[in-house]
Every structure is written in structure tokens, then in C-alpha cells.
Amino acid sequence: MKVLGIETSCDETGVAVYDGRAGLLGHEVYSQIALHADFGGVVPELASRDHVRKLAPMVRALLARLDLPSAAIDGVAYTAGPGLAGALLVGAAFARSLAWAWQVPAVGVHHMEGHLLAPMLEADQPAFPFVALLVSGGHTQLVRVDAVGDYRLLGESVDDAAGEAFDKTAKLLGLGYPGGPALAALAAQGDAQRFQFPRPMTDRPGLDFSFSGLKTFALTTLREQEAALPASEHARLHADIARAFEDAVVDTLAIKCRRAIEQTGCRALVMAGGVSANRRLRARVDALMADLGGRAYYPRAELCTDNGAMIAYAGWQRLRSGEHEALGFGIRPRWPMQELTAGG
Ligand code: KG4
Ligand code: ZN
């Protein structure tokens, strides 16, 4: 079964074809970063309009590149939520129209399920059960995964997501949008000894996170130090703050991952979502899992951030278990993952 996957939940247009036998046949991602950069963040209306412009040509180009006629597609999967309502609607309407025209089933996929199943697109897959750390611009969650569709939320952020904290702190430091990769690059030049930021919520039991205080801590440090130092020292100051911030986020995530592994007894940890592209976080989680006698798994970098391949894969899992939708369609801008059940 070949499934076309469509991702439009935020500022990336992703299309892909996943084949149950051959695996991922191909995927394309178009990032709207340049479109939103002048505004310092995603403008929902511009995002929707750009998805409208890009979707049809991208699907046509992908099928042509893979030398696949539309008749070869057995189903269409699209991101039904969570995400920006207008952007989701564009993908949903487009996917359902294609499915209607091609007379194949369609299925709406949960964006975070897509992220957490993304490591299954790689040859080296984790075995169930595993713990997934989902770290993106909108979510920070620890989830126990017993099977496809069997997810138990262990903990999540009570305020900002890790990626959001990266983006906001990057903005304070005068870096562009999206700030995560830029902040990580700056942190690489920073001195880890100069500032010590707190590790929020690690001094009490539980697996929830809180990252909004770290951003405030960065702001306060920045203001105090900038006032006390000559301008020639500011560039180094920014790098040292970026380093202290990144270390605090990485350390906090690692502490909670250790707890989640110890609590569940799982041997594998899967990391997914945009922040899992962070090199320092990967190194830290690799070391942690080696120490615990287990292993960490991540999708390749291009499948960590938003993409159509993870949606095609999650959709294939649901379609092959017989799940698909009636002709009407809906989207869910807010959608707790605990409401998902196993397919079938
Ligand atoms: O999963 P994703 O592409 O989109 C959402 O569903 O949110 O994640 C995007 C987030 C942004 O906040 C971005 O700044 C962050 O991932 N990010 C990073 C890195 N690369 C992307 N954060 C820290 N370090 C990185 N290398
Ligand atoms: Zn995402």
C-alpha cells in the first residue's frame, strides 16, 4: 500500500509517499521561514496562503520524480491537528479532495503521533515499549509508547515548550526566527562556566517541565550584565548566556528522561520534534542511555522537523488497520494525544 502524506500544520509544507513494503519512497519539504522572518514569528494567514500555493505543485513534482501515476496511490494521509487552524484546513481540504478524486481512503493524522513514529522510517528501529521525548516548537512531552496508537502521557510542559523557549530566548539575544538553531550555534562559542541557570522542576518528583522561567532568567541576566559591561563585551556575553540557557534546557530534559526510563523500565528512548535536532541534547541523551544500559533513537535530521514522511507513515499505519474517514472532515487545532486509541 502506497500512502501520500501531507503536512501543513505550521510553517512547513511537507509531502511524501510511504510504501508498506519498500518504505519511504521520497519526500519534499518546503519551509516558509523566509516568508515569516520579517515578522519575527509565524503569521497564520500568510502560512495558510502559502500552503495553498505550494501543495499542488509539490505533490505533482514528487509523483513525477518518483515516476508514480496517481493511480498508484492507495490512500492519502494529512495532518488534522494540532496546529494552526487555517493551515490545517488547507492540507485537510486538499488531501480529502485528492482522495475523493482518486477514489481512495483518506485519514487525518495527529501531528505529534507523526513525530513520535518518525524513527520508524529508519532501518534501525526501536522496539516497543519505548519512551518518547517529543520536543518541538509547540510541545514538550514524555510519552510511554507500547504500540502504534497506545500512548500514555508521562509528563509535559506546564508553560512554554522547549522550542518556544529557545525561540524566545534567541529573540532576546537579537537572533532571527526560528531561534533554536541560531541560539545553538551561538552557544557553541560560549563559556559554560560563566553563568549557571536553574534546572526548573527537577528538585521535585514528577515528569512535567516548565521553561518560561529560563527565558526570564536569561532576560534578567542580559539586562544586568549589559548595563555593567562595555559594548565591546556584549557579543561574548550573548554567547555565554546562550550557552548557559542551552545547558539548562538540555540538562533539565536529560534529568526527566532518566526519570522516565527508570520509572517505566523501558530500554529505548526516542527523541523527535525540531529541538531533537540539537547536537548537545543528542550527545547528552546518548550518554544517558548508554549509562542506563539502553539506547537512544532519532530520525535523521530532516525527519526531526516537520515533514510529510512522518504523516505518510502514521497514516499508513492507520489505513492498513482499516481506519479511514467518511466524506465530511474536521480539524482539531487543540488535540490532547491521550485521546488517541490503537487503530482498528
Ligand atoms: O517540530 P518542529 O519543526 O515544529 C513544530 O511542530 O513546532 O520544531 C520547531 C522548533 C523551533 O522552536 C526551533 O527553534 C526548534 O524546533 N529547533 C531547535 C533546533 N533546531 C530546531 N532548537 C534547538 N536546537 C536546534 N538545533
Ligand atoms: Zn512538529
Side-chain angles (χ1 to χ4, degrees), residues 103-149:
Q103 296 286 298
V104 295
V107 67
V109 167
H110 194 293
H111 181 79
M112 299 312 288
E113 179 176 46
H115 274 305
L116 79 78
L117 295 179
M120 299 302 194
L121 290 162
E122 305 297 358
D124 183 24
Q125 302 178 352
F128 297 114
F130 58 77
V131 170
L133 173 67
L134 301 175
V135 269
S136 71
H139 292 82
T140 306
Q141 297 182 325
L142 275 164
V143 182
R144 181 190 160 111
V145 180
D146 282 284
V148 173

Side-chain angles (χ1 to χ4, degrees), residues 29-52:
V29 178
Y30 171 79
S31 170
Q32 302 178 351
I33 283 176
L35 178 71
H36 302 290
D38 287 348
F39 303 94
V42 179
V43 183
E45 181 60 25
L46 292 182
S48 311
R49 291 182 195 194
D50 209 41
H51 290 307
V52 171

Side-chain angles (χ1 to χ4, degrees), residues 169-180:
T169 304
K171 211 170 189 173
L172 294 179
L173 296 173
L175 303 170
Y177 155 85

Side-chain angles (χ1 to χ4, degrees), residues 7 9-10 12 82 111-112 115 135-139 272-274 304-307 310:
E7 155 64 31
S9 67
C10 191
E12 261 107 26
H111 181 79
M112 299 312 288
H115 274 305
V135 269
S136 71
H139 292 82
C304 280
T305 47
D306 290 351
N307 64 83
M310 66 187 195

